[in-house]
């Protein structure tokens, strides 16, 4: 049943990109893009209050280095965000399914709850939940899908490991 669930979740993760909101660059994405432009061209924004000197390094996000690395393979940030959505979706939904299935939730209920939990809901008590489309893909969404696996670590290992 786990292989069937993994294949179903994988197929859904490929489809999710086509129903996701188009890439409109989130505010954090705009900040990261500005930092990337400044790193590539140190003379850029030379008369700006924040970016005119090295003060911008106080607001530097290490995720920018990850973006630089991924952009080499995808050709640009928009393609990086667009290609990250199915990967993040798959990791999160499969992890949530494994977690619920390990708790004893029946197979189809665990699968349904895992898919519903991936639905993006913005601003729940000042926080977001679910997997956003490429517009909202920022640094925190690259760590979010691993939370179900942290909970799985509290269970004893399965007998086949």
């Amino acid at each position: 049943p786990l292989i069937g669930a993994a294949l179903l979740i994988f197929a859904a993760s490929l489809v999710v990109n086509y129903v996701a909101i188009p890439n409109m660059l989130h505010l954090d994405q705009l900040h990261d893009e500005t930092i990337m432009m400044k790193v590539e061209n140190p003379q850029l924004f030379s008369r700006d209050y924040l970016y005119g000197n090295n003060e911008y390094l106080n607001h530097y996000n290490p995720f920018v280095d990850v973006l630089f690395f991924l952009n080499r393979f995808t050709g640009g940030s928009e393609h990086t965000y667009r290609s990250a959505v199915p990967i993040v979706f798959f990791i999160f939904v499969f992890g949530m399914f494994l977690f619920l299935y390990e708790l004893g939730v029946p197979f189809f209920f665990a699968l349904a709850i895992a898919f519903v939990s991936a639905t993006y809901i913005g601003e729940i008590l000042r926080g977001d939940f679910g997997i956003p489309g490429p517009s909202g893909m920022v640094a925190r969404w690259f760590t979010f899908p691993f939370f179900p696996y942290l909970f799985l670590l509290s269970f004893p290992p399965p007998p086949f490991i």
Side-chain angles (χ1 to χ4, degrees):
L2 294 180
I3 294 173
L7 291 174
L8 183 64
I9 294 167
F10 178 72
S13 68
L14 296 177
V15 172
V16 75
N17 244 350
Y18 295 103
V19 296
I21 21 178
N23 195 4
M24 298 179 289
L25 284 181
H26 188 271
L27 289 175
D28 291 348
Q29 289 175 339
L30 289 172
H31 178 262
D32 292 342
E33 293 293 323
T34 307
I35 294 284
M36 288 170 56
M37 291 186 323
K38 177 68 176 174
V39 169
E40 287 177 342
N41 182 3
Q43 299 303 324
L44 197 62
F45 311 121
S46 60
R47 293 177 28 193
D48 187 74
Y49 176 73
L50 176 63
Y51 297 104
N53 52 26
N54 289 337
E55 189 69 27
Y56 74 94
L57 294 174
N58 292 336
H59 308 279
Y60 185 76
N61 184 350
F63 177 64
V64 172
D65 295 329
V66 174
L67 274 179
F68 268 126
F69 176 74
L70 294 175
N71 286 352
R72 283 191 235 154
F73 300 106
T74 61
S77 295
E78 186 171 337
H79 299 296
T80 299
Y81 299 132
R82 177 76 58 191
S83 58
V85 171
I87 296 167
V88 169
F89 181 86
F90 176 78
I91 292 170
F92 175 74
V93 173
F94 191 66
M96 186 61 81
F97 166 76
L98 287 177
F99 172 63
L100 294 169
Y101 193 64
E102 189 71 28
L103 281 177
V105 177
F107 178 83
F108 289 108
F109 285 124
L111 199 57
I113 292 169
F115 275 112
V116 169
S117 67
T119 305
Y120 179 70
I121 302 169
E123 295 297 324
I124 301 177
L125 299 174
R126 301 295 304 147
D128 299 346
F129 189 80
I131 306 299
S135 301
M137 194 59 62
V138 293
R140 64 183 165 269
W141 298 115
F142 284 84
T143 57
F144 174 75
F146 296 102
F147 284 125
Y149 298 98
L150 291 175
F151 292 115
L152 275 171
L153 291 175
S154 65
F155 292 110
F160 58 86
I161 292 181

